[in-house]
Amino acid sequence: MIFNEVVLEAADPETLGSFYKSILQLPVTKNPAGDLEIVCGKSLLIFKKSESQPFYHIAFNIPANKLQDAKNIVSKRTPLTWLEEYNSYIADFKNWNARSIYFNDPAGNILELICRLDLCDEEKSKKKDDLHIRCISEVGLVLPAAQFDDKVKTIKTDFGLQDFPKQPPMEHFRALGDDHGLFIVVPDSRVWFASLKPAGQFPIHIKFENAGGSYVLNSELVRQSRKSSR
C-alpha cells in the first residue's frame, strides 16, 4: 500500500512548518489555500488549520541501514521518546523485522522513523544530517470503541485492505496493509504506543494506492462506514 497524500489538521501549522523543515529537513511550502505542504519522499503530508487541538500517529520509512544515524541526528534536534518496553530509545519489532525511534512534533503528533528490513532498502549516500525519508509508512486510524470490530471489517471490504501478515489481529489493535504502508487501527479508548495519550478521532483525508486501485479515505467515511471512491 502506498500513501500518496495525507491531510491532517493542526492548531498552529506555522510552528509545524518550522519543525518539519528544521528537524526533519523536509521541503515545506504553502499551497494556494494556505495549507502547509510537506514533501516526505514519495508522500505528501498536508496540515490544515484547526480550531481544536488534534493529534495523530504518523510513521515514515527510512533505509534499513540508517536507523542509528537517524537516532543520532534527531536526538540532537528534539527529544526522543524513551521506550520502557525495550529499555531503549529504539523499538525492536522482531515479528515485523523492523526497528523504530519515536518523538513528538509541537502539535503532539506521535512521530516514528522506522526501518523495515524486509524492504531490502539500504542507502549508500553518506550525506551529513540527511534522514533519507522515503515515504509516509503508517497513519493511525481511530475508530469508535463500541463498533471497533464491525468498523474494521467494513473498512477492509470497502478499501481493499488486508491484515498485515506479520501482525495477528488483536482485540484493540489492527495493522492493515504491508511494509510499504500501513493503517494502524485502534479504538478511541486505547493509549498510543510511545505515548500517554488515549487515541482520539480527528479529521483525516488520505489518498492511497492498494492492490492496483486508488482510494480516498476520510473521517466522514470512517464514521459512516460508506464505500470509498476510486
Side-chain angles (χ1 to χ4, degrees):
M1 183 172 71
I2 305 296
F3 289 113
N4 295 319
E5 183 178 290
V6 176
V7 183
L8 310 176
E9 292 192 0
D12 187 1
E14 291 289 343
T15 300
L16 285 185
S18 298
F19 178 90
Y20 284 85
K21 186 174 183 178
S22 62
I23 305 301
L24 299 188
Q25 299 286 295
L26 295 173
V28 177
T29 58
K30 279 189 176 181
N31 64 24
D35 303 323
L36 192 73
E37 293 193 349
I38 305 164
V39 178
C40 310
K42 296 180 180 179
S43 307
L44 182 64
L45 176 62
I46 299 175
F47 284 103
K48 292 179 173 290
K49 175 71 175 176
S50 172
E51 298 303 320
S52 61
Q53 301 284 334
F55 66 91
Y56 306 84
H57 166 59
I58 316 161
F60 307 91
N61 271 351
I62 62 172
N65 62 329
K66 290 296 181 179
L67 186 69
Q68 189 60 49
D69 288 347
K71 176 180 176 291
N72 294 338
I73 292 168
V74 175
S75 65
K76 293 176 182 178
R77 300 172 180 172
T78 194
L80 297 177
T81 301
W82 178 257
L83 305 170
E84 295 289 348
E85 295 90 334
Y86 295 94
N87 195 34
S88 173
Y89 287 109
I90 296 177
D92 188 359
F93 301 118
K94 295 187 182 298
N95 289 345
W96 291 23
N97 202 19
R99 302 171 78 217
S100 297
I101 59 172
Y102 289 81
F103 51 100
N104 294 326
D105 70 15
N109 294 310
I110 303 155
L111 305 184
E112 176 186 0
L113 297 181
I114 183 167
C115 63
R116 302 178 186 276
L117 301 181
D118 290 339
L119 289 179
C120 301
D121 174 20
E122 294 198 354
E123 177 60 52
K124 295 181 180 179
S125 170
K126 296 183 179 180
K127 185 177 178 181
K128 186 178 179 180
D129 293 345
D130 192 337
L131 294 171
H132 304 287
I133 288 174
R134 302 306 204 200
C135 61
I136 294 175
S137 169
E138 298 174 3
V139 178
L141 188 61
V142 184
L143 305 179
Q147 303 168 298
F148 185 69
D149 288 335
D150 289 340
K151 291 283 188 181
V152 169
K153 290 177 183 177
T154 301
I155 288 169
K156 288 170 65 176
T157 299
D158 288 357
F159 295 95
L161 293 166
Q162 300 293 327
D163 290 307
F164 186 35
K166 301 174 184 177
Q167 177 59 57
M170 300 170 65
E171 183 179 3
H172 297 125
F173 184 91
R174 303 284 200 283
L176 306 179
D178 54 36
D179 279 314
H180 296 280
L182 287 169
F183 283 108
I184 303 301
V185 191
V186 300
D188 54 16
S189 58
R190 188 181 191 273
V191 174
W192 283 117
F193 178 70
S195 171
L196 298 177
K197 295 181 179 181
Q201 289 189 281
F202 301 109
I204 58 170
H205 186 93
I206 300 172
K207 296 179 181 178
F208 67 98
E209 298 175 20
N210 183 52
S214 297
Y215 294 86
V216 176
L217 182 152
N218 60 45
S219 45
E220 189 66 21
L221 290 172
V222 169
R223 284 194 295 269
Q224 296 183 7
S225 294
R226 297 186 322 198
K227 284 195 173 183
S228 65
S229 57
R230 288 199 180 197

